[in-house]
Coordinates of all heavy atoms in Angstrom, one line a residue:
M1 N 19.7 8.7 12.0 CA 19.4 9.4 10.8 C 18.7 10.7 11.1 O 17.7 10.7 11.9 CB 18.4 8.5 9.9 CG 17.9 9.2 8.7 SD 17.3 8.0 7.4 CE 15.6 7.9 7.9
P2 N 19.1 11.8 10.5 CA 18.4 13.1 10.8 C 17.0 13.1 10.3 O 16.6 12.3 9.4 CB 19.3 14.1 10.1 CG 20.0 13.4 9.1 CD 20.1 12.0 9.6
G3 N 16.2 13.9 10.9 CA 14.8 14.0 10.5 C 14.6 14.6 9.1 O 15.6 15.2 8.6
P4 N 13.4 14.6 8.6 CA 13.2 15.1 7.2 C 13.4 16.6 7.2 O 13.1 17.3 8.2 CB 11.8 14.7 6.9 CG 11.1 14.3 8.2 CD 12.2 14.0 9.1
V5 N 13.8 17.1 6.1 CA 14.0 18.6 5.9 C 12.8 19.0 5.0 O 12.8 18.6 3.9 CB 15.3 18.9 5.3 CG1 15.4 20.4 5.1 CG2 16.4 18.5 6.3
F6 N 12.0 19.9 5.5 CA 10.9 20.4 4.7 C 11.2 21.8 4.3 O 12.0 22.5 4.9 CB 9.6 20.3 5.5 CG 9.2 18.9 5.9 CD1 9.2 18.5 7.3 CD2 8.9 17.9 5.0 CE1 8.8 17.3 7.6 CE2 8.6 16.7 5.3 CZ 8.6 16.3 6.7
G7 N 10.5 22.2 3.2 CA 10.7 23.6 2.7 C 10.9 23.5 1.2 O 10.6 22.6 0.5
V8 N 11.6 24.5 0.7 CA 11.9 24.7 -0.7 C 13.5 24.7 -0.9 O 14.2 25.4 -0.2 CB 11.3 25.9 -1.3 CG1 11.7 26.1 -2.8 CG2 9.8 26.0 -1.1
R9 N 13.9 23.9 -1.9 CA 15.4 23.9 -2.2 C 15.5 23.7 -3.7 O 14.6 23.3 -4.3 CB 16.1 22.9 -1.4 CG 15.7 21.5 -1.6 CD 16.5 20.5 -0.8 NE 16.1 19.2 -1.0 CZ 16.5 18.3 -1.9 NH1 17.4 18.8 -2.8 NH2 16.0 17.1 -2.0
K10 N 16.7 24.0 -4.2 CA 17.0 23.7 -5.6 C 17.7 22.4 -5.7 O 18.5 22.0 -4.8 CB 18.0 24.8 -6.1 CG 17.3 26.1 -6.4 CD 16.6 26.1 -7.7 CE 16.1 27.5 -8.0 NZ 15.2 27.5 -9.2
D11 N 17.4 21.6 -6.7 CA 18.0 20.3 -7.0 C 18.0 20.1 -8.5 O 17.0 20.0 -9.1 CB 17.3 19.2 -6.3 CG 18.0 17.9 -6.5 OD1 19.2 17.8 -6.9 OD2 17.4 16.8 -6.1
E12 N 19.2 20.1 -9.1 CA 19.4 19.9 -10.5 C 18.5 20.9 -11.3 O 17.8 20.5 -12.3 CB 19.1 18.5 -10.9 CG 20.1 17.5 -10.3 CD 20.0 16.1 -10.8 OE1 19.5 15.9 -11.9 OE2 20.5 15.2 -10.1
G13 N 18.5 22.1 -10.9 CA 17.7 23.2 -11.7 C 16.2 23.2 -11.4 O 15.5 24.0 -12.0
L14 N 15.7 22.3 -10.5 CA 14.3 22.3 -10.2 C 14.1 22.8 -8.8 O 15.0 22.7 -7.9 CB 13.8 20.9 -10.3 CG 13.8 20.2 -11.6 CD1 13.4 18.7 -11.5 CD2 13.0 20.9 -12.6
D15 N 12.9 23.4 -8.5 CA 12.5 23.8 -7.2 C 11.9 22.5 -6.6 O 11.0 21.9 -7.2 CB 11.5 24.9 -7.2 CG 12.1 26.2 -7.5 OD1 13.3 26.5 -7.1 OD2 11.4 27.1 -8.1
V16 N 12.4 22.1 -5.4 CA 11.8 21.0 -4.7 C 11.1 21.5 -3.5 O 11.7 22.1 -2.6 CB 13.0 20.0 -4.3 CG1 12.4 18.8 -3.5 CG2 13.8 19.5 -5.5
R17 N 9.8 21.4 -3.5 CA 8.9 21.8 -2.4 C 8.5 20.6 -1.7 O 7.9 19.7 -2.2 CB 7.7 22.6 -2.9 CG 8.1 23.9 -3.5 CD 6.8 24.6 -4.0 NE 7.1 26.0 -4.4 CZ 7.8 26.4 -5.4 NH1 8.4 25.5 -6.2 NH2 8.1 27.7 -5.7
H18 N 8.8 20.6 -0.4 CA 8.5 19.4 0.4 C 7.8 19.8 1.7 O 8.4 20.6 2.5 CB 9.8 18.6 0.8 CG 9.6 17.3 1.2 ND1 10.6 16.5 1.7 CD2 8.5 16.5 1.3 CE1 10.1 15.3 2.0 NE2 8.9 15.3 1.8
T19 N 6.6 19.3 1.9 CA 5.9 19.5 3.1 C 5.5 18.1 3.6 O 5.6 17.1 2.8 CB 4.6 20.3 2.9 OG1 3.8 19.6 1.9 CG2 4.9 21.7 2.4
P20 N 5.1 17.9 4.8 CA 4.8 16.5 5.3 C 3.8 15.9 4.4 O 2.7 16.4 4.2 CB 4.3 16.7 6.7 CG 5.0 18.0 7.1 CD 5.0 18.9 5.9
G21 N 4.1 14.8 3.7 CA 3.2 14.0 2.9 C 3.1 14.5 1.4 O 2.5 13.8 0.6
I22 N 3.8 15.6 1.0 CA 3.7 16.0 -0.3 C 5.1 16.5 -0.8 O 5.7 17.3 -0.1 CB 2.7 17.2 -0.5 CG1 1.3 16.7 -0.1 CG2 2.7 17.7 -1.9 CD1 0.3 17.8 -0.1
L23 N 5.5 16.0 -2.0 CA 6.8 16.4 -2.6 C 6.5 16.9 -4.0 O 5.8 16.1 -4.7 CB 7.7 15.2 -2.6 CG 9.1 15.4 -3.1 CD1 9.9 16.4 -2.3 CD2 9.8 14.1 -3.1
T24 N 6.9 18.1 -4.3 CA 6.6 18.6 -5.7 C 7.9 19.1 -6.3 O 8.7 19.8 -5.6 CB 5.6 19.8 -5.5 OG1 4.5 19.4 -4.8 CG2 5.2 20.3 -6.9
L25 N 8.1 18.8 -7.6 CA 9.2 19.3 -8.4 C 8.7 20.2 -9.4 O 7.8 19.9 -10.1 CB 9.9 18.1 -9.1 CG 10.4 16.9 -8.3 CD1 11.0 15.9 -9.2 CD2 11.4 17.4 -7.2
T26 N 9.2 21.4 -9.5 CA 8.8 22.4 -10.5 C 10.0 23.1 -11.1 O 11.0 23.1 -10.5 CB 7.9 23.5 -9.8 OG1 8.6 24.2 -8.8 CG2 6.6 22.9 -9.2
N27 N 9.7 23.6 -12.3 CA 10.7 24.5 -12.9 C 10.0 25.8 -13.1 O 8.9 26.0 -12.6 CB 11.3 23.9 -14.2 CG 10.3 23.7 -15.3 OD1 9.2 24.3 -15.3 ND2 10.6 22.8 -16.3
A28 N 10.5 26.7 -13.9 CA 9.9 28.0 -14.1 C 8.6 28.0 -14.8 O 7.8 28.9 -14.7 CB 10.9 28.9 -14.9
N29 N 8.3 26.9 -15.5 CA 7.1 26.8 -16.4 C 6.0 25.9 -15.9 O 4.9 26.1 -16.2 CB 7.5 26.4 -17.8 CG 8.5 27.4 -18.4 OD1 8.2 28.6 -18.3 ND2 9.6 26.9 -19.0
T30 N 6.4 24.8 -15.2 CA 5.4 23.7 -15.0 C 5.7 22.9 -13.8 O 6.9 22.9 -13.3 CB 5.2 22.8 -16.2 OG1 4.1 22.0 -16.1 CG2 6.4 22.0 -16.5
T31 N 4.8 22.1 -13.4 CA 5.1 21.0 -12.4 C 5.7 19.8 -13.1 O 5.1 19.3 -14.0 CB 3.8 20.6 -11.7 OG1 3.2 21.7 -11.0 CG2 4.0 19.4 -10.7
V32 N 6.9 19.5 -12.7 CA 7.6 18.4 -13.3 C 7.2 17.1 -12.7 O 7.0 16.1 -13.3 CB 9.2 18.6 -13.2 CG1 9.9 17.4 -13.7 CG2 9.5 19.9 -14.0
G33 N 7.1 17.0 -11.4 CA 6.7 15.8 -10.6 C 6.0 16.1 -9.4 O 6.1 17.2 -8.8
Y34 N 5.2 15.1 -8.9 CA 4.4 15.3 -7.7 C 4.3 13.9 -7.0 O 4.1 12.9 -7.7 CB 3.0 15.8 -8.1 CG 2.0 15.9 -7.0 CD1 2.0 17.1 -6.1 CD2 1.1 14.9 -6.7 CE1 1.1 17.2 -5.1 CE2 0.2 15.0 -5.7 CZ 0.2 16.1 -4.9 OH -0.7 16.2 -3.8
C35 N 4.4 13.9 -5.7 CA 4.3 12.6 -5.0 C 3.5 12.9 -3.7 O 3.9 13.8 -2.9 CB 5.6 12.0 -4.7 SG 5.5 10.4 -3.9
R36 N 2.5 12.1 -3.4 CA 1.7 12.2 -2.2 C 1.9 10.9 -1.4 O 1.8 9.8 -2.0 CB 0.3 12.5 -2.4 CG -0.5 12.8 -1.1 CD -1.9 13.2 -1.4 NE -2.6 12.1 -2.0 CZ -3.4 12.2 -3.1 NH1 -3.6 13.3 -3.7 NH2 -4.0 11.1 -3.5
Y37 N 2.3 11.0 -0.2 CA 2.6 9.8 0.6 C 2.2 9.9 2.1 O 1.9 11.0 2.5 CB 4.1 9.5 0.5 CG 5.0 10.5 1.2 CD1 5.4 10.4 2.5 CD2 5.3 11.7 0.5 CE1 6.2 11.4 3.1 CE2 6.1 12.6 1.0 CZ 6.5 12.5 2.4 OH 7.3 13.4 2.9
D38 N 2.2 8.8 2.8 CA 1.9 8.9 4.2 C 3.2 8.6 5.0 O 4.2 8.2 4.5 CB 0.7 8.1 4.6 CG 0.9 6.6 4.6 OD1 2.1 6.2 4.4 OD2 -0.1 5.9 4.6
A39 N 3.1 8.7 6.3 CA 4.2 8.5 7.2 C 4.7 7.0 7.2 O 5.9 6.8 7.6 CB 3.9 8.9 8.6
D40 N 3.9 6.1 6.8 CA 4.3 4.7 6.7 C 5.0 4.3 5.4 O 5.3 3.1 5.2 CB 3.1 3.8 6.9 CG 2.6 3.9 8.4 OD1 3.4 4.1 9.3 OD2 1.3 3.9 8.5
G41 N 5.2 5.3 4.5 CA 5.8 5.0 3.2 C 4.9 4.5 2.1 O 5.3 4.0 1.1
R42 N 3.6 4.7 2.3 CA 2.6 4.3 1.3 C 2.5 5.5 0.3 O 2.1 6.6 0.7 CB 1.2 4.0 1.9 CG 1.2 2.7 2.6 CD -0.2 2.3 3.0 NE -0.8 3.2 4.0 CZ -0.8 3.0 5.3 NH1 -0.3 2.0 5.8 NH2 -1.4 3.9 6.1
I43 N 2.8 5.2 -0.9 CA 2.7 6.2 -2.0 C 1.3 6.2 -2.5 O 0.8 5.2 -3.1 CB 3.7 5.8 -3.2 CG1 5.1 5.6 -2.7 CG2 3.6 6.9 -4.3 CD1 5.7 6.8 -2.0
E44 N 0.6 7.3 -2.2 CA -0.8 7.4 -2.6 C -1.0 7.8 -4.1 O -1.9 7.5 -4.8 CB -1.6 8.3 -1.7 CG -1.6 7.8 -0.3 CD -2.0 8.9 0.7 OE1 -2.3 10.1 0.3 OE2 -2.1 8.6 1.9
Y45 N 0.0 8.6 -4.5 CA 0.0 9.2 -5.9 C 1.4 9.6 -6.3 O 2.0 10.3 -5.5 CB -1.0 10.4 -5.9 CG -1.2 10.9 -7.3 CD1 -2.2 10.3 -8.1 CD2 -0.6 12.0 -7.7 CE1 -2.4 10.8 -9.4 CE2 -0.8 12.6 -9.0 CZ -1.7 12.0 -9.8 OH -1.9 12.5 -11.1
I46 N 1.8 9.3 -7.5 CA 3.1 9.8 -8.0 C 2.9 10.1 -9.5 O 2.2 9.3 -10.2 CB 4.2 8.8 -7.7 CG1 5.5 9.5 -8.1 CG2 4.0 7.5 -8.4 CD1 6.8 8.8 -7.6
F47 N 3.4 11.2 -9.9 CA 3.2 11.7 -11.3 C 4.5 12.4 -11.7 O 5.0 13.2 -11.0 CB 2.0 12.7 -11.3 CG 1.9 13.4 -12.7 CD1 1.4 12.7 -13.8 CD2 2.4 14.7 -12.8 CE1 1.3 13.4 -15.0 CE2 2.3 15.3 -14.0 CZ 1.8 14.7 -15.1
V48 N 4.9 12.1 -13.0 CA 5.9 12.9 -13.6 C 5.3 13.4 -15.0 O 4.8 12.6 -15.7 CB 7.2 12.1 -13.8 CG1 8.2 12.9 -14.6 CG2 7.8 11.7 -12.5
H49 N 5.5 14.7 -15.2 CA 5.0 15.3 -16.5 C 5.6 14.5 -17.6 O 6.8 14.2 -17.6 CB 5.5 16.7 -16.5 CG 4.9 17.5 -17.7 ND1 5.3 17.3 -19.0 CD2 4.0 18.5 -17.7 CE1 4.6 18.1 -19.7 NE2 3.8 18.9 -19.0
P50 N 4.8 14.1 -18.7 CA 5.3 13.3 -19.8 C 6.6 13.9 -20.4 O 7.4 13.1 -20.8 CB 4.1 13.3 -20.8 CG 2.9 13.5 -19.9 CD 3.4 14.4 -18.8
A51 N 6.7 15.2 -20.5 CA 7.9 15.8 -21.2 C 9.2 15.5 -20.3 O 10.3 15.7 -20.8 CB 7.7 17.2 -21.4
Y52 N 9.0 15.1 -19.1 CA 10.2 15.0 -18.2 C 10.4 13.6 -17.7 O 11.2 13.3 -16.8 CB 10.0 15.9 -17.0 CG 10.0 17.4 -17.4 CD1 8.8 18.0 -17.6 CD2 11.2 18.1 -17.5 CE1 8.8 19.4 -18.0 CE2 11.2 19.4 -17.9 CZ 10.0 20.0 -18.2 OH 10.0 21.3 -18.6
R53 N 9.7 12.6 -18.3 CA 9.8 11.2 -17.9 C 11.2 10.7 -18.4 O 11.8 11.2 -19.3 CB 8.7 10.4 -18.4 CG 7.4 10.8 -17.7 CD 6.2 10.0 -18.1 NE 5.0 10.5 -17.4 CZ 3.8 10.3 -17.8 NH1 3.5 9.6 -18.9 NH2 2.8 10.8 -17.1
R54 N 11.6 9.5 -17.8 CA 12.8 8.8 -18.1 C 14.0 9.7 -17.9 O 15.1 9.5 -18.6 CB 12.7 8.3 -19.5 CG 11.5 7.4 -19.7 CD 11.6 6.5 -21.0 NE 12.8 5.7 -21.1 CZ 13.0 4.5 -20.5 NH1 12.1 4.0 -19.7 NH2 14.2 3.9 -20.7
Q55 N 14.0 10.6 -16.9 CA 15.1 11.4 -16.5 C 15.4 11.2 -15.0 O 16.2 11.9 -14.4 CB 14.8 12.8 -16.7 CG 14.6 13.2 -18.2 CD 14.2 14.6 -18.4 OE1 14.6 15.5 -17.7 NE2 13.4 14.8 -19.5
G56 N 14.8 10.2 -14.4 CA 15.1 9.8 -13.0 C 14.3 10.6 -11.9 O 14.6 10.5 -10.7
H57 N 13.3 11.4 -12.3 CA 12.6 12.3 -11.4 C 11.8 11.4 -10.4 O 11.8 11.7 -9.2 CB 11.7 13.3 -12.1 CG 12.5 14.3 -12.9 ND1 13.5 15.1 -12.4 CD2 12.5 14.6 -14.2 CE1 14.0 15.8 -13.3 NE2 13.4 15.5 -14.4
A58 N 11.1 10.4 -10.9 CA 10.3 9.5 -10.0 C 11.2 8.8 -9.0 O 10.9 8.7 -7.8 CB 9.5 8.5 -10.8
K59 N 12.3 8.3 -9.5 CA 13.2 7.6 -8.6 C 13.7 8.5 -7.5 O 13.9 8.2 -6.3 CB 14.4 7.0 -9.3 CG 13.9 5.8 -10.1 CD 15.1 5.1 -10.9 CE 14.7 4.0 -11.7 NZ 15.8 3.4 -12.4
R60 N 14.1 9.8 -7.9 CA 14.6 10.7 -6.9 C 13.5 11.1 -5.9 O 13.8 11.2 -4.7 CB 15.1 12.0 -7.6 CG 16.5 11.8 -8.1 CD 17.1 13.2 -8.4 NE 16.5 13.8 -9.6 CZ 16.8 13.5 -10.8 NH1 17.6 12.6 -11.1 NH2 16.2 14.2 -11.8
M61 N 12.2 11.2 -6.3 CA 11.2 11.5 -5.4 C 11.0 10.3 -4.4 O 10.8 10.5 -3.2 CB 9.9 11.8 -6.1 CG 9.8 13.2 -6.8 SD 8.2 13.7 -7.4 CE 8.0 12.5 -8.8
L62 N 11.0 9.1 -5.0 CA 10.8 7.9 -4.1 C 12.0 7.8 -3.1 O 11.8 7.4 -2.0 CB 10.7 6.6 -5.0 CG 9.4 6.5 -5.8 CD1 9.5 5.3 -6.6 CD2 8.2 6.6 -4.9
Q63 N 13.2 8.1 -3.6 CA 14.3 8.1 -2.6 C 14.1 9.1 -1.5 O 14.4 8.8 -0.3 CB 15.6 8.4 -3.4 CG 16.9 8.4 -2.5 CD 17.1 7.0 -1.8 OE1 16.9 6.0 -2.4 NE2 17.5 7.1 -0.5
R64 N 13.7 10.3 -1.8 CA 13.4 11.3 -0.8 C 12.3 10.8 0.2 O 12.5 11.0 1.4 CB 13.0 12.6 -1.5 CG 12.8 13.7 -0.5 CD 14.1 14.1 0.1 NE 13.8 15.1 1.1 CZ 14.2 15.1 2.4 NH1 15.0 14.1 2.8 NH2 13.9 16.0 3.2
V65 N 11.3 10.2 -0.3 CA 10.2 9.7 0.5 C 10.8 8.6 1.4 O 10.5 8.6 2.6 CB 9.0 9.2 -0.3 CG1 8.0 8.4 0.6 CG2 8.3 10.4 -1.0
R66 N 11.6 7.7 0.9 CA 12.2 6.6 1.7 C 13.0 7.2 2.8 O 13.0 6.8 3.9 CB 13.0 5.7 0.8 CG 13.6 4.6 1.5 CD 14.4 3.6 0.6 NE 13.5 2.8 0.0 CZ 13.6 2.3 -1.3 NH1 14.7 2.7 -2.0 NH2 12.7 1.6 -1.8
E67 N 13.8 8.3 2.5 CA 14.6 8.9 3.5 C 13.7 9.5 4.6 O 14.1 9.5 5.8 CB 15.5 10.0 2.9 CG 16.6 9.5 2.0 CD 17.2 10.6 1.2 OE1 16.9 11.8 1.3 OE2 18.1 10.3 0.4
C68 N 12.6 10.1 4.2 CA 11.7 10.8 5.2 C 10.9 9.8 6.1 O 10.7 10.0 7.2 CB 10.8 11.7 4.5 SG 11.6 13.1 3.8
T69 N 10.5 8.7 5.5 CA 9.7 7.7 6.2 C 10.5 6.6 6.8 O 10.0 5.9 7.7 CB 8.7 7.1 5.3 OG1 9.3 6.4 4.2 CG2 7.7 8.1 4.7
G70 N 11.8 6.4 6.4 CA 12.6 5.4 7.0 C 12.2 4.0 6.8 O 12.6 3.1 7.5
G71 N 11.4 3.7 5.7 CA 11.0 2.4 5.6 C 10.8 1.9 4.1 O 11.3 2.6 3.2
V72 N 10.2 0.8 4.0 CA 9.9 0.2 2.7 C 8.7 1.0 2.0 O 7.8 1.3 2.7 CB 9.5 -1.2 2.8 CG1 9.1 -1.8 1.5 CG2 10.7 -2.0 3.4
L73 N 8.9 1.3 0.8 CA 7.8 2.1 0.1 C 6.8 1.1 -0.4 O 7.1 -0.1 -0.8 CB 8.4 2.8 -1.1 CG 9.5 3.8 -0.7 CD1 10.0 4.5 -2.0 CD2 9.0 4.9 0.3
K74 N 5.5 1.5 -0.5 CA 4.4 0.7 -0.9 C 3.6 1.5 -1.9 O 3.1 2.6 -1.5 CB 3.6 0.2 0.2 CG 4.3 -0.6 1.3 CD 3.5 -0.7 2.6 CE 4.3 -1.2 3.7 NZ 5.2 -0.2 4.3
L75 N 3.4 1.1 -3.1 CA 2.5 1.8 -4.0 C 1.1 1.3 -3.8 O 0.8 0.1 -3.8 CB 2.9 1.5 -5.5 CG 4.3 1.9 -5.9 CD1 4.5 1.5 -7.4 CD2 4.5 3.4 -5.7
E76 N 0.2 2.3 -3.5 CA -1.2 2.0 -3.3 C -1.9 1.8 -4.6 O -1.7 2.5 -5.5 CB -1.8 3.1 -2.5 CG -1.3 3.2 -1.0 CD -1.7 2.1 -0.2 OE1 -2.9 1.8 -0.1 OE2 -0.9 1.5 0.5
P77 N -2.8 0.8 -4.7 CA -3.6 0.6 -5.9 C -4.6 1.7 -6.1 O -4.9 2.4 -5.1 CB -4.3 -0.7 -5.7 CG -4.0 -1.1 -4.3 CD -3.0 -0.2 -3.7
P78 N -5.0 2.0 -7.3 CA -4.6 1.3 -8.5 C -3.2 1.8 -9.0 O -2.9 2.9 -8.8 CB -5.7 1.7 -9.5 CG -6.1 3.1 -9.1 CD -6.0 3.1 -7.6
V79 N -2.5 0.8 -9.6 CA -1.1 1.1 -10.1 C -1.2 1.1 -11.6 O -1.6 0.2 -12.2 CB -0.1 0.1 -9.6 CG1 1.3 0.4 -10.2 CG2 0.0 0.1 -8.0
S80 N -0.8 2.2 -12.2 CA -0.8 2.4 -13.7 C 0.3 1.5 -14.2 O 1.2 1.1 -13.5 CB -0.6 3.8 -14.1 OG 0.8 4.2 -13.8
P81 N 0.3 1.3 -15.6 CA 1.4 0.5 -16.2 C 2.8 1.2 -15.9 O 3.8 0.5 -15.7 CB 1.0 0.5 -17.7 CG -0.4 0.6 -17.7 CD -0.8 1.5 -16.5
L82 N 2.8 2.5 -16.0 CA 4.1 3.1 -15.7 C 4.5 3.0 -14.2 O 5.6 2.8 -13.9 CB 4.0 4.6 -16.1 CG 4.0 4.9 -17.6 CD1 3.9 6.4 -17.8 CD2 5.3 4.5 -18.2
G83 N 3.5 3.0 -13.4 CA 3.7 2.8 -11.9 C 4.2 1.5 -11.7 O 5.1 1.3 -10.8
A84 N 3.8 0.5 -12.4 CA 4.2 -0.9 -12.2 C 5.7 -1.0 -12.5 O 6.4 -1.8 -11.8 CB 3.4 -1.8 -13.1
K85 N 6.3 -0.2 -13.4 CA 7.7 -0.2 -13.6 C 8.5 0.2 -12.4 O 9.6 -0.2 -12.2 CB 8.0 0.6 -14.8 CG 7.6 0.0 -16.1 CD 8.0 0.9 -17.3 CE 7.5 0.3 -18.6 NZ 8.0 1.1 -19.8
L86 N 7.9 1.1 -11.6 CA 8.6 1.6 -10.4 C 8.6 0.5 -9.3 O 9.4 0.6 -8.4 CB 7.8 2.8 -9.8 CG 8.0 4.1 -10.6 CD1 7.1 5.2 -10.0 CD2 9.4 4.5 -10.7
L87 N 7.8 -0.6 -9.4 CA 7.9 -1.6 -8.4 C 9.3 -2.2 -8.2 O 9.7 -2.5 -7.1 CB 6.9 -2.7 -8.8 CG 5.4 -2.4 -8.7 CD1 4.6 -3.5 -9.2 CD2 5.0 -2.0 -7.3
R88 N 10.0 -2.3 -9.3 CA 11.4 -2.8 -9.2 C 12.2 -1.9 -8.3 O 13.0 -2.4 -7.6 CB 12.0 -2.9 -10.6 CG 11.5 -4.1 -11.4 CD 12.3 -4.2 -12.7 NE 12.3 -3.0 -13.5 CZ 11.4 -2.8 -14.6 NH1 10.5 -3.7 -14.9 NH2 11.5 -1.7 -15.2
Y89 N 12.0 -0.6 -8.4 CA 12.8 0.3 -7.7 C 12.5 0.3 -6.2 O 13.3 0.4 -5.3 CB 12.7 1.7 -8.2 CG 13.5 2.7 -7.4 CD1 14.9 2.8 -7.6 CD2 12.9 3.5 -6.5 CE1 15.6 3.6 -6.8 CE2 13.7 4.4 -5.8 CZ 15.0 4.5 -5.9 OH 15.8 5.3 -5.2
C90 N 11.2 0.1 -5.9 CA 10.8 0.3 -4.5 C 10.6 -1.1 -3.8 O 10.0 -1.1 -2.7 CB 9.5 1.1 -4.4 SG 8.0 0.4 -5.0
G91 N 11.0 -2.1 -4.4 CA 11.0 -3.4 -3.7 C 10.3 -4.6 -4.4 O 10.0 -5.5 -3.7
G92 N 10.1 -4.5 -5.7 CA 9.4 -5.6 -6.4 C 8.0 -5.7 -6.1 O 7.3 -4.8 -5.6
S93 N 7.4 -6.9 -6.3 CA 6.0 -7.1 -6.2 C 5.5 -7.0 -4.7 O 4.3 -6.8 -4.5 CB 5.6 -8.5 -6.7 OG 6.3 -9.5 -6.0
D94 N 6.4 -7.1 -3.8 CA 6.0 -7.0 -2.4 C 5.8 -5.5 -2.0 O 5.4 -5.2 -0.9 CB 7.1 -7.5 -1.4 CG 7.3 -9.0 -1.6 OD1 6.3 -9.7 -2.0 OD2 8.3 -9.5 -1.3
C95 N 6.1 -4.6 -2.9 CA 6.0 -3.2 -2.7 C 4.5 -2.8 -2.6 O 4.2 -1.8 -1.9 CB 6.6 -2.5 -3.9 SG 6.6 -0.7 -3.8
M96 N 3.6 -3.5 -3.2 CA 2.2 -3.1 -3.2 C 1.5 -3.4 -1.9 O 1.8 -4.3 -1.2 CB 1.5 -3.7 -4.3 CG 1.9 -3.2 -5.6 SD 1.1 -3.9 -7.1 CE -0.6 -3.6 -6.7

């Protein structure tokens, strides 16, 4: 598997800024999504702007983190009710 690609790129009309441990989705007006993680796949913080929720942005960010870390994702507590819904995507209750 090739190593992670960091920098800025376009994806579905959004700017995707990726530096080690931080992934940010922006458009011309606002931050759409943000994810902070470590090299072991522990998600320390994930956020999607309320106006952009339920459009797959969190799942895309988690997929990118999984590609970069090469492992199982783990949501670090505390996990919000919306974050708990992501547990199904990142591996169920063992994800925490």
